[in-house]
Amino acid sequence: MTAVSSSAPPMAASSAPTRRRAASPDVLRWLVLGLTTLVVAVPLALIVYQSLLNAPFFMPNKALSLDAYRFVFADPDFWSALRNSVVIASGMLLISVPLGAVLAFLMTRTDLPGRRWLEPMLLTPVFISPMVLGFGYVVAAGPVGFYSAWWQQWFGSVPWNPYSMLGIAAIAGLTHVPHVYLYCSSALRNLGSDVEEAARVAGAGPLRVAYDVSLPMIMPSLLFAAVLVFFLGFEVFGLPLVLGDPEGHLVLTTYLYKLTNKLGIPSYHLMAVVAVLIILVTVPLVLLQRRLLRNTKRFVAVKGKASRQQTLPLGHWRWLPFGLVMLWLLVTVFVPLSGITLRAFVNQWGEGVSLWQALTIENFTTLFEQDNLVRAMVNSFGVGLLGGAAAVFCYTAIGLAGHRRNDWGVKLADYLVLVPRAVPGLLAGLAFLWVFLFMPGLKEFKNSMICIWLAYTVVWLAYGMRLIQGALLQVGPELEEAARSVGASRAQTSRHVTLPLIRHGLLASWLLVFMIFEREYSTGVYLLSPGTEVIGSLLVSLWAAGAVEQVAALSVVNVLMVGAGLALALRFGVKLHD
């Protein structure tokens, strides 16, 4: 009895640290999930609450009311904006889905010339800010644009108008082709080519193979991409703001942006109503995407067991699709980027102005003489470099919190990371403005880069999580099980096995997040303040003030920063299509 009782305390003492070690990862995990819930749910709850008030929520005379909904539904501008948003989303759907699918087939399944160097160029619009593309189209193909002036000089009249609804929808559709391309090319790469070869043996040409075999096999991915593009049609902001303003075309996001001054006083309750209506449109589309993605995986598992792939020879016709790809690159990439670059190097432009006599570098020297513009460049680089690394750290923590688990916490996190995707960046920036202005203890951070960084990190949560989860899925479970079998805890397994194995994936994720943060513009519009300027939001402000020269020069700097990030990513072997 004495021996037993004397040995009991040491056993109890040794089991206590074990329980603490076992409990510690779970505490950390629930802390991560709790913080994720907090940063996603609080801004959204604030938007919904604000929409149900008859005045801004910080006013003393506020009261619960549906007056804001009545005002918005009675406003003809709202219905015009809604109609234009549907037109743009439909145009994007009709243009980008077939074109993106054809480009994916040509790049992944055929012997199209120059596929290696064409692919990074195809993805260029994904990494260039839509504001920059919009400026580029204005100065290149607008009524007094470079190419419009030259075309009119040679042919007498200009057949295009980028300011019309048709022009905006066409440009939005062309610039969103890479989104469809990414999903379709990824699905095609996961499929074997056995069925296509059988069709070729039976005498089918490349066009018939694409139409009857390849594209039907990736139909779930096509539907997923179609839903994505239609959803993005309701949150586009930069292109309609730059191209739609001259002729008064509003969409839901620009209508919300202009509500700030509609009544001459802060109209936060009206803006919240529009935000809620946009969320009501986009949330079902995001949930539909999730369902389609689940179906896509099941479809690929059935059809994609064969790993051998052979390219289809296009024969003498291969230069025709090559010309199609080059034409798309000309209209979507070369025209806007060359236009904005030319405008950055001239001090004036218009009918009768000689390009050679107007050439100057004064726009860039002026750029570096203004403190706020220099701060914008430094802040943008910092939020991409350091903020991107911090965001990847957060995404990794959330990813590890759900890694190899299947409880209700993981399912909740799956839906939470999708929610910010349904909220346009403009609305997310507005919600974070309210959070930092009126939540106790956060007001001191309102004019700091922490505010900008947190908004960026939450807005791109879904995209960042996809990158991290992709890296985590590449780690075989047997490696982690081996570590657990020799006594390692979950935390030790993550620290010594999982994280070292995904370090290249983390580096790739950071580079991609860096480029995304560099191009982001709408999220920072409402968070712009002295000291927190970033290039994207400052471009919106400068454009509204009519500072075209500064906008052009700053756009070129932004493109160079994103280009450097893209070159670095490719140098480190980052696969942009994964």
Side-chain angles (χ1 to χ4, degrees):
M1 288 294 292
T2 305
V4 172
S5 61
S6 63
S7 62
M11 286 179 66
S14 64
S15 63
T18 303
R19 281 197 299 271
R20 282 197 297 271
R21 284 197 301 271
S24 177
D26 277 346
V27 171
L28 192 61
R29 173 180 181 248
W30 288 110
L31 181 64
V32 169
L33 294 178
L35 285 174
T36 306
T37 306
L38 205 61
V39 297
V40 171
V42 169
L44 283 177
L46 202 52
I47 290 178
V48 175
Y49 172 63
Q50 174 63 90
S51 73
L52 297 173
L53 299 176
N54 62 353
F57 60 88
F58 52 84
M59 300 290 282
N61 59 344
K62 65 180 182 297
L64 286 174
S65 168
L66 293 178
D67 286 350
Y69 284 89
R70 293 191 190 96
F71 179 91
V72 169
F73 287 140
D75 188 358
D77 285 346
F78 166 74
W79 294 107
S80 172
L82 178 62
R83 186 168 54 251
N84 289 339
S85 287
V86 172
V87 169
I88 289 180
S90 303
M92 289 167 60
L93 191 70
L94 294 174
I95 293 173
S96 62
V97 172
L99 198 49
V102 170
L103 286 180
F105 175 78
L106 290 172
M107 295 294 293
T108 59
R109 296 312 233 200
T110 70
D111 60 348
L112 188 77
R115 288 183 299 162
R116 181 180 293 274
W117 59 268
L118 275 176
E119 184 165 44
M121 297 182 69
L122 286 178
L123 299 178
T124 302
V126 174
F127 300 110
I128 302 296
S129 166
M131 288 295 292
V132 174
L133 291 175
F135 300 145
Y137 279 111
V138 169
V139 298
V144 292
F146 295 101
Y147 299 114
S148 299
W150 292 330
W151 184 281
Q152 189 165 13
Q153 185 180 350
W154 294 333
F155 301 102
S157 64
V158 178
W160 59 77
N161 178 15
Y163 297 156
S164 66
M165 278 306 300
L166 183 62
I168 298 171
I171 290 172
L174 289 173
T175 52
H176 282 78
V177 165
H179 292 82
V180 180
Y181 169 81
L182 280 170
Y183 285 102
C184 292
S185 61
S186 177
L188 284 169
R189 284 187 173 97
N190 288 331
L191 294 175
S193 58
D194 307 47
V195 184
E196 293 168 343
E197 288 176 32
R200 288 285 293 170
V201 170
L207 189 63
R208 185 70 179 271
V209 171
Y211 185 74
D212 287 339
V213 180
S214 303
L215 296 182
M217 289 173 69
I218 61 163
M219 189 54 71
S221 290
L222 267 174
L223 292 174
F224 178 85
V227 174
L228 170 70
V229 168
F230 193 71
F231 150 73
L232 291 176
F234 284 91
E235 72 158 14
V236 289
F237 173 65
L239 285 173
L241 180 68
V242 175
L243 300 176
D245 247 16
E247 294 191 0
H249 299 304
L250 289 173
V251 296
L252 285 177
T253 49
T254 55
Y255 171 73
L256 183 145
Y257 179 61
K258 292 180 181 297
L259 269 178
T260 310
N261 301 318
K262 195 173 182 72
L263 301 181
I265 56 174
S267 308
Y268 290 161
H269 52 309
L270 303 181
M271 297 165 74
V273 168
V274 181
V276 169
L277 295 176
I278 294 177
I279 292 171
L280 288 177
V281 172
T282 53
V283 163
L285 293 174
V286 171
L287 295 179
L288 178 60
Q289 267 189 309
R290 180 181 170 81
R291 186 176 181 82
L292 288 172
L293 185 62
R294 191 163 60 241
N295 290 339
T296 300
K297 290 177 178 175
R298 185 168 66 246
F299 191 89
V300 170
V302 172
K303 297 292 184 181
K305 292 182 178 176
S307 58
R308 186 169 60 91
Q309 291 190 1
Q310 288 188 351
T311 56
L312 294 172
L314 294 173
H316 298 298
W317 292 101
R318 61 183 182 153
W319 295 107
L320 184 61
F322 179 78
L324 173 70
V325 177
M326 294 305 293
L327 179 62
W328 178 81
L329 284 173
L330 174 72
V331 175
T332 311
V333 178
F334 180 78
V335 166
L337 290 188
S338 63
I340 201 71
T341 305
L342 274 175
R343 190 64 185 87
F345 284 96
V346 298
N347 53 16
Q348 58 177 326
W349 178 250
E351 191 175 351
V353 177
S354 168
L355 182 63
W356 295 110
Q357 292 177 356
L359 282 176
T360 180
I361 60 169
E362 186 182 346
N363 297 332
F364 289 94
T365 56
T366 305
L367 204 65
F368 288 96
E369 289 171 355
Q370 300 187 44
D371 292 341
N372 62 331
L373 299 181
V374 174
R375 269 201 310 273
M377 287 184 272
V378 173
N379 288 343
S380 294
F381 186 72
V383 80
L385 192 70
L386 303 178
V392 169
F393 175 82
C394 296
Y395 299 151
T396 306
I398 300 171
L400 288 175
H403 188 50
R404 311 288 185 210
R405 295 175 189 264
N406 192 30
D407 55 14
W408 68 270
V410 175
K411 293 174 182 173
L412 174 66
D414 282 348
Y415 282 99
L416 277 176
V417 299
L418 286 176
V419 171
R421 189 174 177 181
V423 182
L426 189 71
L427 311 184
L430 178 64
F432 274 96
L433 171 69
W434 294 342
V435 169
F436 276 86
L437 272 178
F438 302 107
M439 292 294 285
L442 294 180
K443 193 171 183 179
E444 293 73 18
F445 298 103
K446 160 64 183 67
N447 294 327
S448 72
M449 288 306 295
I450 293 177
C451 183
I452 299 273
W453 169 78
L454 185 60
Y456 280 16
T457 302
V458 174
V459 165
W460 291 99
L461 179 61
Y463 190 87
M465 285 304 301
R466 189 166 68 85
L467 297 173
I468 298 300
Q469 286 171 337
L472 287 172
L473 286 174
Q474 291 178 341
V475 179
E478 64 276 8
L479 299 174
E480 295 167 335
E481 289 167 4
R484 296 296 303 275
S485 67
V486 296
S489 64
R490 279 186 179 274
Q492 289 171 325
T493 303
S494 298
R495 192 166 62 249
H496 297 299
V497 178
T498 309
L499 288 177
L501 287 174
I502 64 169
R503 61 184 183 279
H504 295 295
L506 295 178
L507 175 64
S509 302
W510 171 69
L511 287 168
L512 292 175
V513 171
F514 169 81
M515 286 184 285
I516 290 168
F517 281 13
E518 291 302 311
R519 74 184 284 276
E520 181 59 45
Y521 65 101
S522 58
T523 306
V525 167
Y526 289 110
L527 301 174
L528 185 65
S529 64
T532 63
E533 301 93 341
V534 288
I535 291 178
S537 53
L538 207 55
L539 284 174
V540 179
S541 176
L542 290 171
W543 180 257
V548 179
E549 289 81 9
Q550 292 178 352
V551 166
L554 203 55
S555 297
V556 170
V557 172
N558 185 239
V559 170
L560 290 176
M561 292 171 73
V562 174
L566 181 59
L568 196 62
L570 295 174
R571 176 69 183 81
F572 277 92
V574 175
K575 295 179 180 179
L576 300 176
H577 52 74
D578 286 343

